[in-house]
Amino acid sequence: LKVALRDLDLSSDERPRKQDKAYAQIALWYAQEAQEKRDASQPLQELLFIGDTIYNDGRAFANMQAESGWNGSCFIGVEHLGDEAEICIDDEFIYGSNRWASLGDWAKWLLEERGMKLDAGTVVIVDIDKCALGARGRNDAVIDHARIQGAYQTMSGVLGDDFDGQDFEAFYNELNQPR
């Protein structure tokens, strides 16, 4: 991170969040460094982003696409098994679905409808915590539990008896909604 911040002339005090332009710059820097290290035969030209929230992940994708100028698309998935399967395409860049199994349909759409190559010049960015490790709506409860336990330990150590776990969980559950 220190090297990326230096190379990009960003403050070493920064810890950019997904919505920040600096986050996009750093993520693209990492992608280009990886492409160079693997001696890829072509430069990066396409960007795919897989996430579960339109606000955080959609904004990160939009910033990365604007910063890079590459062709790209973002898949936003949230599992809702009780509902009928739905696909929503927003402005030809955001592909949303209430089924993680729609990732294959997204790839087909990218190839057939968007004319993307999906080759060595394509970088794929995956939101890890609620997508790759614990898909939102499918098996994300384990991540929520770990986060809550970590907060309990930290805040109990800081606040002692003044820490109200029930209030914390109520606020966490409210803020953890994908809207």
Side-chain angles (χ1 to χ4, degrees):
L1 180 59
K2 288 179 183 179
V3 174
L5 292 168
R6 184 193 68 227
D7 285 358
L8 296 167
D9 289 326
L10 297 171
S11 168
S12 61
D13 295 331
E14 278 193 69
R15 292 297 177 261
R17 305 292 294 165
K18 277 187 184 176
Q19 306 87 352
D20 300 335
K21 181 180 172 184
Y23 181 96
Q25 293 172 318
I26 292 168
L28 292 168
W29 183 89
Y30 281 125
Q32 290 169 328
E33 286 291 307
Q35 187 76 338
E36 193 175 301
K37 297 248 187 288
R38 70 186 196 101
D39 290 327
S41 60
Q42 66 189 84
L44 294 174
Q45 301 170 8
E46 294 179 337
L47 168 67
L48 301 181
F49 197 109
I50 300 172
D52 66 336
T53 61
I54 194 69
Y55 179 73
N56 283 330
D57 300 322
R59 173 65 25 222
F61 164 74
N63 287 341
M64 290 174 72
Q65 189 177 36
E67 191 70 28
S68 68
W70 301 333
N71 189 16
S73 183
C74 179
F75 180 92
I76 300 293
V78 178
E79 194 83 16
H80 291 291
L81 291 175
D83 299 337
E84 190 171 320
E86 289 182 20
I87 301 290
C88 173
I89 300 171
D90 181 28
D91 73 16
E92 296 186 32
F93 296 107
I94 306 292
Y95 187 103
S97 177
N98 62 346
R99 298 285 190 277
W100 285 103
S102 296
L103 280 164
D105 296 331
W106 177 53
K108 182 179 178 184
W109 176 77
L110 292 169
L111 290 165
E112 295 176 1
E113 302 295 324
R114 295 284 315 282
M116 293 182 73
K117 297 175 184 164
L118 307 185
D119 60 10
T122 304
V123 63
V124 181
I125 308 291
V126 181
D127 178 37
I128 294 176
D129 67 344
K130 290 287 183 93
C131 295
L133 297 179
R136 187 180 294 274
R138 178 173 280 190
N139 54 356
D140 58 334
V142 115
I143 290 172
D144 290 336
H145 180 72
R147 285 179 176 169
I148 289 171
Q149 291 306 308
Y152 266 77
Q153 287 177 348
T154 301
M155 297 312 293
S156 292
V158 172
L159 299 175
D161 292 337
D162 290 333
F163 175 61
D164 186 332
Q166 288 181 329
D167 276 353
F168 169 78
E169 282 193 53
F171 286 119
Y172 177 85
N173 291 332
E174 177 65 26
L175 292 172
N176 192 38
Q177 298 303 309
R179 61 187 155 172

